Amino acid sequence: MKNIILFVLCVFLFFSNCTEKKIQDKKPKLVVGIVIDQMRYDYLTRYAERYGKGGFNRILKNGFSLENAHYNYIPTYTAVGHASIFTGTTPNNHGIISNNWYDKFLKESIYCVDDSNYATVGNSGNVGKKSPQRLYTTTISDELHLAQNMKGKTIGLSIKDRSAILPVGHTANGAYWYDANNNNNNQWVTSSYYMKKLPKWVADFNANNNADNYLNETWNTLYDINTYEKSRSDNNIFEKNLNGKATPTFPKKLKELRAKNGNFNLIKTVPAGNTYTVDFAKAAIIGEQLGKTAYTDFLTVSFSSTDYIGHRYGVAAVETEDTYLRLDKDLEDFFTFLDTEVGKNNYTLFLTADHAAVHVPAYLQSLKISAHYMDAKKFKKFILEITQKYFNSKELIENISNYQIFLNKDKIASLGLDKNEVAQKLAEEVINFDKIYKAVTARTLQTTNFTDGIMNSLQNGYNQKFSGDVLMIPYPATLIRERKGTSHGSGYSYDTHIPIIFYGNGIKKGKSSKKYSIIDIAPTISNLLKIESPNGTSGKVIEEALK
């Protein structure tokens, strides 16, 4: 009798293990890459008790969270972040070195996704003259397309064009962004790079969208404003007002504020912009029938309103806290939709951010914490005085931007000077400017290997073909902007520490405090899908997150 029971138990365990292995071996029908623009890691912990069960807490409880994940390059800007997440590498390889940068070949400032070879699809404006042409490596979705012989669909969407285009790379079936640049514009559009006309589902969404309804509402706090104890007082001097409003306080009557804040453009700067993005993501999943075929589809969703709100009000604002409490509800709604439309065991998602942000420096100064504002005009004057003093010329500088100096090589040669000597002298002298902490020449970055620390981040962000001749790092908590609101871009922890959470098919439950880099997401998802990593990948597979 005991032998029979033992035999039955062994058979049961054998088939249970086979069933479990079969489920684990089954590839997801849909991968969803979620990027939250300007989300600090501590927003997960700071507001944890106020989040519901179905949004952030659902994927934290049932997914795998990296608690010590960072960006490993400078600059931490939106375009660079989105490119790095999905290519698995840094600007020295993928070529996106900022949102805007000085092109030393064209001798002009360029925007990361501008491309005059293409036209807008969706209206008669110019916002669709875009493409991923400046991205020089493949993305996860490119590799998924190649692995499936161009079967399956890859779709990117965001209010921001760069946040829709760069994640889905070169082979996307579509990338869509929101156009409200003129008062009468209120459409999701794309570029002729992808298609000749909008799909019916996009045209239908534009015809029936809820942007107008959202902007006729009042933004008040989700809960009693007195319960927002994680934030500064509502009325303070560190936040920038909306046009037409005397103080940066609640309530914000959007219907009354629209006319003075770009009409439909206002939706970008309120939490409803995130809700609106979820609306469009749902329409994309239904309209493209994502997750419904034998092939794996890929959807990238980037939430931009968090960034616009963060810039205006700062890290510790009631507006920021309320935005994340509302985003938590939007995510719960989206996850529930995925369960129903795609199936609970049929999708894998990851959630991360393209950068974080610093506390408003003026606020830090009020607390006697070291923080600074840098005057760009004063800085340029200082640099020209250096070249005049040592080389008797103020014509040796072609451009100063993104904490980089581009030399005028033709002028330097005409004066019989050595470009490396000019760059080295600038690097030595520029640190005498009161807001610059470190400086290094491009030549040094080409000949020296910095293995860790902030100089390693600077090196990872340096692209030999596109970057400047002298690169600088300001003191921590230094911004070039007005004293209200905040920004990002540095290699310091406040800008680099972001959430990375994996969830769904093929993902373990758990967390890790080991240090990982943003570039580790792409090879990890590639490994899960059993495909090649993007062709420039320099990250590693996060083995402990995978079943």
Side-chain angles (χ1 to χ4, degrees):
M1 184 69 178
K2 288 182 179 179
N3 289 337
I4 294 174
I5 293 173
L6 183 62
F7 174 76
V8 171
L9 181 61
C10 288
V11 170
F12 173 77
L13 290 173
F14 174 79
F15 282 105
S16 295
N17 288 335
C18 286
T19 301
E20 182 179 355
K21 187 175 188 303
K22 184 176 181 181
I23 292 173
Q24 291 178 3
D25 286 346
K26 182 183 176 183
K27 288 184 181 180
K29 292 186 175 181
L30 177 65
V31 177
V32 182
I34 297 174
V35 182
I36 301 175
D37 203 322
Q38 201 187 125
M39 182 177 183
R40 291 164 55 112
Y41 172 80
D42 66 355
Y43 291 162
L44 283 179
T45 56
R46 186 170 185 156
Y47 310 135
E49 294 178 357
R50 308 203 75 183
Y51 291 142
K53 294 181 179 180
F56 288 117
N57 283 329
R58 170 179 170 175
I59 59 176
L60 283 169
K61 179 181 178 182
N62 299 300
F64 197 92
S65 175
L66 306 182
E67 299 178 333
N68 191 24
H70 288 262
Y71 275 87
N72 61 335
Y73 61 78
I74 300 170
T76 43
Y77 293 139
T78 295
V80 198
H82 284 79
S84 299
I85 293 165
F86 292 90
T87 63
T89 193
T90 47
N92 60 329
N93 291 320
H94 62 58
I96 303 297
I97 62 171
S98 188
N99 293 333
N100 301 271
W101 65 89
Y102 180 72
D103 188 311
K104 51 192 177 185
F105 303 101
L106 297 175
K107 307 297 183 186
E108 64 183 26
S109 181
I110 60 172
Y111 178 59
C112 56
V113 292
D114 272 353
D115 192 339
S116 60
N117 293 310
Y118 299 98
T120 306
V121 176
N123 64 32
S124 58
N126 293 320
V127 299
K129 293 183 175 182
K130 314 290 180 188
S131 85
Q133 55 133 341
R134 292 190 172 96
L135 182 67
Y136 287 100
T137 59
T138 60
T139 63
I140 319 170
S141 56
D142 284 329
E143 294 296 335
L144 180 60
H145 255 159
L146 290 169
Q148 298 183 144
N149 197 26
M150 301 307 294
K151 302 295 196 302
K153 293 182 178 180
T154 61
I155 305 290
L157 61 93
S158 175
I159 282 177
K160 293 182 180 179
D161 51 23
R162 57 188 180 271
S163 306
I165 292 168
L166 295 171
V168 284
H170 307 273
T171 64
N173 297 93
Y176 304 95
W177 53 96
Y178 182 60
D179 178 21
N181 284 341
N182 297 313
N183 279 345
N184 293 326
N185 282 4
N186 172 29
Q187 302 95 21
W188 288 82
V189 301
T190 188
S191 164
S192 59
Y193 175 88
Y194 303 102
M195 63 193 71
K196 293 181 179 180
K197 61 180 293 186
L198 290 178
K200 184 178 183 301
W201 68 266
V202 180
D204 288 346
F205 187 92
N206 284 337
N208 302 293
N209 74 53
N210 288 318
D212 199 56
N213 293 333
Y214 288 138
L215 289 174
N216 285 331
E217 297 176 355
T218 295
W219 179 15
N220 214 334
T221 51
L222 192 60
Y223 306 109
D224 184 340
I225 196 168
N226 295 312
T227 67
Y228 285 68
E229 298 177 352
K230 304 293 184 182
S231 305
R232 293 185 303 257
S233 62
D234 188 32
N235 192 11
N236 62 78
I237 62 172
F238 307 113
E239 300 172 11
K240 186 177 179 181
N241 299 341
L242 287 167
N243 296 331
K245 193 162 171 49
T247 60
T249 52
F250 286 98
K252 304 178 195 296
K253 298 178 180 179
L254 305 183
K255 187 174 182 178
E256 297 176 6
L257 295 168
R258 289 175 63 170
K260 293 185 178 181
N261 291 274
N263 195 12
F264 286 104
N265 249 318
L266 182 60
I267 201 168
K268 300 175 181 180
T269 64
V270 296
N274 295 325
T275 310
Y276 189 45
T277 302
V278 169
D279 291 345
F280 192 71
K282 290 179 182 178
I285 291 171
I286 295 172
E288 297 289 347
Q289 289 291 285
L290 300 182
K292 298 295 187 181
T293 71
Y295 300 97
T296 299
D297 298 319
F298 205 112
L299 175 69
T300 68
V301 182
S302 181
F303 292 99
S304 302
S305 293
T306 43
D307 185 65
Y308 289 106
I309 292 165
H311 278 296
R312 182 176 293 273
Y313 301 105
V315 169
V318 174
E319 286 84 354
T320 300
E321 181 175 352
D322 194 65
T323 295
Y324 277 88
L325 296 182
R326 290 176 179 276
L327 176 60
D328 182 60
K329 292 184 176 297
D330 287 330
L331 290 173
E332 179 175 4
D333 177 44
F334 187 46
F335 298 158
T336 301
F337 173 84
L338 289 170
D339 292 343
T340 303
E341 186 66 23
V342 183
K344 284 187 177 181
N345 297 318
N346 291 330
Y347 66 91
T348 303
L349 67 81
F350 62 86
L351 182 148
T352 188
D354 58 346
H355 53 74
V358 65
H359 277 280
V360 178
Y363 172 60
L364 295 178
Q365 289 172 347
S366 75
L367 302 174
K368 299 181 180 180
I369 296 173
S370 180
H372 312 273
Y373 290 94
M374 185 165 154
D375 186 322
K377 291 182 179 179
K378 182 180 177 182
F379 182 52
K380 181 178 180 180
K381 182 174 181 291
F382 182 85
I383 291 174
L384 294 180
E385 288 173 352
I386 294 173
T387 63
Q388 178 65 41
K389 178 179 179 180
Y390 290 98
F391 304 106
N392 196 32
S393 176
K394 291 186 177 181
E395 300 178 51
L396 307 186
I397 307 300
E398 201 163 81
N399 181 268
I400 304 169
S401 56
N402 294 320
Y403 291 106
Q404 297 183 30
I405 300 172
F406 293 81
L407 297 178
N408 184 335
K409 308 291 178 47
D410 292 337
K411 185 64 178 180
I412 289 172
S414 72
L415 294 175
L417 300 172
D418 184 290
K419 64 180 181 181
N420 291 321
E421 290 181 6
V422 174
Q424 184 59 43
K425 180 56 68 175
L426 282 166
E428 291 170 0
E429 293 295 321
V430 76
I431 58 171
N432 294 319
F433 190 76
D434 61 353
K435 304 300 187 298
I436 298 298
Y437 196 32
K438 299 177 186 290
V440 65
T441 65
R443 184 178 177 84
T444 298
L445 293 176
Q446 294 168 24
T447 58
T448 305
N449 183 28
F450 296 98
T451 57
D452 54 27
I454 200 164
M455 293 302 289
N456 172 257
S457 296
L458 187 67
Q459 191 163 50
N460 288 337
Y462 167 74
N463 187 292
Q464 183 177 0
K465 191 174 183 70
F466 304 122
S467 296
D469 301 289
V470 179
L471 292 86
M472 299 158 288
I473 300 174
Y475 281 110
T478 298
L479 294 180
I480 302 176
R481 64 168 290 140
E482 60 185 308
R483 295 177 63 84
K484 296 177 183 291
T486 193
S487 196
H488 48 85
S490 80
Y492 296 112
S493 182
Y494 55 75
D495 278 339
T496 67
H497 190 196
I498 41 79
I500 298 179
I501 309 169
F502 297 96
Y503 172 85
N505 185 317
I507 304 300
K508 287 181 182 176
K509 295 181 182 180
K511 60 185 178 180
S512 175
S513 59
K514 294 179 184 177
K515 189 168 185 177
Y516 286 101
S517 294
I518 195 69
I519 59 174
D520 297 332
I521 293 176
T524 301
I525 294 297
S526 298
N527 183 267
L528 173 71
L529 297 175
K530 307 302 179 190
I531 61 174
E532 282 294 317
S533 292
N535 60 17
T537 294
S538 50
K540 61 180 179 294
V541 175
I542 305 167
E543 296 179 9
E544 58 182 322
L546 302 177
K547 287 182 180 178

